[in-house]
Amino acid sequence: MKHITHLYTLIFLLLMSACNNVAHHHPMVEFNVSPDINQQIVLNYSPYNDDLDRQSVVIEPDSAGHATFNVPLPEGISAFDATLYVGKQPYGLRAEAGETLNVDIADNGSGEISVTFSGKNAAVSDLLSATVNGVDLRPYFPLGSDSVRPLPQILQAIDNETAGYSGMINAIADTADRSYYSSLISRRADLAKTTVMRIYSNNISSQPVDSLPEYQAIMSSINPDDEIDVRSGLYSLWLYDKHPKQDTDDNTEYFISVMELIDSVMQNSVNRRIALNDAANNFLSFIGMPKEELLKFGSAFAGHAAGYPDLATKTDARIKELCQVISEGERLPFDPEMETPEGGLVNLSSLYGKLLYIDVWATWCGPCCAEIPHMANLYDRFRNNPGIELVSISVDEDRDAWLAKLKKDRPAWKQYRLSAEENAKFSRALNINGIPRFLIIAPDGTFKHTFAPRPSDKETTALLNGLLEK
């Protein structure tokens, strides 16, 4: 039996060697890294060019500074774009089966990193590196400024920025590649324009965005099953504008209808895959979704994504994970232990018996600190009400920073801190992926709201008063 096992292993290895022979001799990317480069090098990629389905691999050069990257490609795909990070600096590159892109990473002598490409896809990689951060809209809408350039000027500026890449586009020798990336850059600019026009419509002008000729022209040009329109993100504007239940308040029905529309208009397998993955990620981003709604969506998604078993498995796993999250009316399965500013330890359950309005925060979180004055105002409104307790729970790992902030602000309501271990359990149980997060716990220890409004929200006082009256 042992010899048979060895024989099967040998056959497997020979088959794998035969299948990967070309890829072995022609790595997609070959790195040459100077010995003075000490930043981590990471390649972030998706063979489908799906930003929501990317994988990361750390590039580890050998003693000679040499490393290669190769990956098996799904059927029908021969190339993809990726993002290379040298430290925190991003660069774009194109990886193609059967073609080796050479990447030289060196210090230019002044402490700055230089990344140089050579090979068939060098010109494409140069273009992708130049456009890796997309169109920056911040200069057109300066914070704290009342002076905003007229809309036609901003749209023209975006066109001018796009035209500035014409030299790099023309440097791409392959005619098909040159046309493809010229269209991709142009359509990404169109997406930026729609964003600008929406900002103008919502915040500056009273004119509905749908009435703008420039917006109508872009929307009417979108083909939801075109690879370029999918990669640029334009397709999502079309989908979420055209689906039949866009006015429903039922998030589950909304996204199920989106998936039905995807199936009806997208025939390209890769485009459908990207669109379905996007729909699942958008749906699962809603915090506090009831378990029955999660399961309903999961069942529908499994049907629509039957041709993509990896997506179905990933989404099912995420839904099962979210079904373990505490819902309204439930209790925590454990009793969090919290540190007091004096160094003592108390359990959350010691506060039960009153309505608890809890602020989960940290000193390093700007939006958290911005809520502190509003929390103080809220405390002043309820300080004489014996039925409610306002509580702040810090997730700071730096205890000294927490204590320094308390010393500076002198908050009058109760303050506690979770250790890293307790925070991990607490955040996992409540799906806390971002702060500030506000919670409301009933006197009996069950959750009334796992995603309560902030102190700065207008409805918070009325909500708390209503709960106290029950």
Side-chain angles (χ1 to χ4, degrees):
M1 187 67 180
K2 180 178 181 182
H3 295 294
I4 294 176
T5 302
H6 287 171
L7 177 60
Y8 286 157
T9 302
L10 178 59
I11 292 173
F12 175 78
L13 291 174
L14 287 172
L15 288 172
M16 290 300 293
S17 176
C19 292
N20 294 323
N21 190 45
V22 174
H24 176 73
H25 292 293
H26 296 278
M28 292 179 179
V29 187
E30 191 160 3
F31 295 90
N32 292 290
V33 184
S34 297
D36 49 3
I37 301 297
N38 54 20
Q39 288 93 333
Q40 187 179 56
I41 303 172
V42 176
L43 192 64
N44 193 326
Y45 73 97
S46 164
Y48 302 99
N49 286 317
D50 184 354
D51 289 338
L52 295 175
D53 195 34
R54 288 190 166 223
Q55 305 173 57
S56 293
V57 58
V58 177
I59 305 301
E60 299 180 341
D62 60 21
S63 58
H66 182 259
T68 60
F69 169 80
N70 220 6
V71 65
L73 293 178
E75 183 178 354
I77 293 178
S78 61
F80 58 87
D81 297 339
T83 303
L84 174 70
Y85 289 91
V86 182
K88 295 182 178 180
Q89 181 62 39
Y91 302 86
L93 62 80
R94 174 179 164 88
E96 183 176 358
E99 298 285 348
T100 298
L101 176 71
N102 295 291
V103 183
D104 295 324
I105 304 175
D107 189 317
N108 64 8
S110 61
E112 296 182 357
I113 302 297
S114 67
V115 175
T116 306
F117 303 104
S118 58
K120 173 180 177 290
N121 291 302
V124 173
S125 299
D126 286 335
L127 175 66
L128 292 174
S129 293
T131 59
V132 69
N133 291 318
V135 178
D136 186 0
L137 301 181
R138 290 173 298 179
Y140 307 127
F141 300 97
L143 293 176
S145 173
D146 294 329
S147 58
V148 178
R149 294 165 65 180
L151 179 60
Q153 288 187 17
I154 298 179
L155 299 180
Q156 184 60 54
I158 293 174
D159 282 336
N160 293 342
E161 180 177 338
T162 303
Y165 297 116
S166 60
M168 302 183 78
I169 292 172
N170 291 334
I172 300 174
D174 185 275
T175 303
D177 286 347
R178 186 165 61 248
S179 174
Y180 179 92
Y181 286 99
S182 175
S183 296
L184 181 61
I185 297 301
S186 176
R187 294 304 264 171
R188 284 176 172 169
D190 284 341
L191 180 66
K193 290 179 186 178
T194 64
T195 303
V196 167
M197 286 184 274
R198 286 175 181 270
I199 292 174
Y200 247 86
S201 175
N202 292 333
N203 301 291
I204 299 170
S205 168
S206 59
Q207 185 175 5
V209 69
D210 291 332
S211 68
L212 296 174
E214 299 90 346
Y215 188 83
Q216 292 176 350
I218 293 174
M219 291 297 294
S220 63
S221 72
I222 298 173
N223 176 358
D225 200 23
D226 177 76
E227 180 183 350
I228 297 293
D229 284 357
V230 170
R231 285 201 61 187
S232 67
L234 282 170
Y235 87 98
S236 63
L237 293 181
W238 189 96
L239 281 178
Y240 294 104
D241 183 63
K242 300 295 184 181
H243 72 81
K245 295 185 178 180
Q246 57 181 306
D247 296 325
T248 180
D249 292 328
D250 186 329
N251 285 320
T252 308
E253 287 298 326
Y254 177 97
F255 281 101
I256 289 176
S257 72
V258 167
M259 292 191 293
E260 291 170 350
L261 182 58
I262 288 170
D263 278 350
S264 70
V265 300
M266 301 180 83
Q267 303 302 313
N268 180 283
S269 177
V270 173
N271 290 343
R272 285 186 67 251
R273 187 186 194 281
I274 291 174
L276 288 171
N277 192 30
D278 182 45
N281 277 273
N282 279 325
F283 175 79
L284 295 175
S285 68
F286 287 94
I287 298 174
M289 186 70 65
K291 293 179 176 61
E292 59 272 17
E293 296 300 312
L294 289 168
L295 295 173
K296 182 179 178 181
F297 176 85
S299 176
F301 184 82
H304 290 285
Y308 315 103
D310 58 326
L311 283 188
T313 299
K314 181 184 75 170
T315 302
D316 182 61
R318 180 57 178 156
I319 287 174
K320 287 179 178 177
E321 181 181 345
L322 289 174
C323 281
Q324 301 303 313
V325 172
I326 301 300
S327 298
E328 293 175 8
E330 297 179 341
R331 300 170 182 266
L332 284 168
F334 63 98
D335 193 3
E337 188 177 67
M338 309 179 296
E339 179 187 4
T340 69
E342 295 75 28
L345 295 174
V346 300
N347 291 103
L348 181 62
S349 62
S350 67
L351 303 177
Y352 295 167
K354 296 182 178 182
L355 186 71
L356 301 180
Y357 180 74
I358 299 175
D359 168 21
V360 183
W361 74 294
T363 59
W364 44 261
C365 167
C368 298
C369 294
E371 289 294 328
I372 292 175
H374 300 287
M375 190 75 166
N377 292 335
L378 198 65
Y379 173 76
D380 286 339
R381 291 192 183 97
F382 291 101
R383 66 189 307 165
N384 295 320
N385 191 320
I388 185 172
E389 192 84 74
L390 270 63
V391 180
S392 285
I393 301 178
S394 168
V395 296
D396 276 289
E397 292 189 14
D398 187 339
R399 182 174 184 270
D400 291 338
W402 173 57
L403 292 176
K405 181 66 173 172
L406 298 186
K407 183 178 179 180
K408 177 182 178 182
D409 292 348
R410 298 185 179 279
W413 58 99
K414 292 185 181 295
Q415 302 289 324
Y416 302 100
R417 186 180 77 95
L418 292 173
S419 67
E421 181 180 356
E422 288 291 295
N423 175 40
K425 292 194 299 181
F426 189 71
S427 295
R428 186 166 54 250
L430 290 160
N431 193 32
I432 298 178
N433 297 314
I435 52 175
R437 178 78 170 269
F438 294 87
L439 315 165
I440 299 178
I441 299 180
D444 63 359
T446 59
F447 279 88
K448 300 298 290 185
H449 291 273
T450 58
F451 193 68
R454 300 183 179 194
S456 58
D457 292 338
K458 295 180 179 179
E459 70 268 25
T460 304
T461 299
L463 172 63
L464 294 175
N465 278 325
L467 291 172
L468 286 168
E469 292 172 0
K470 292 182 180 180

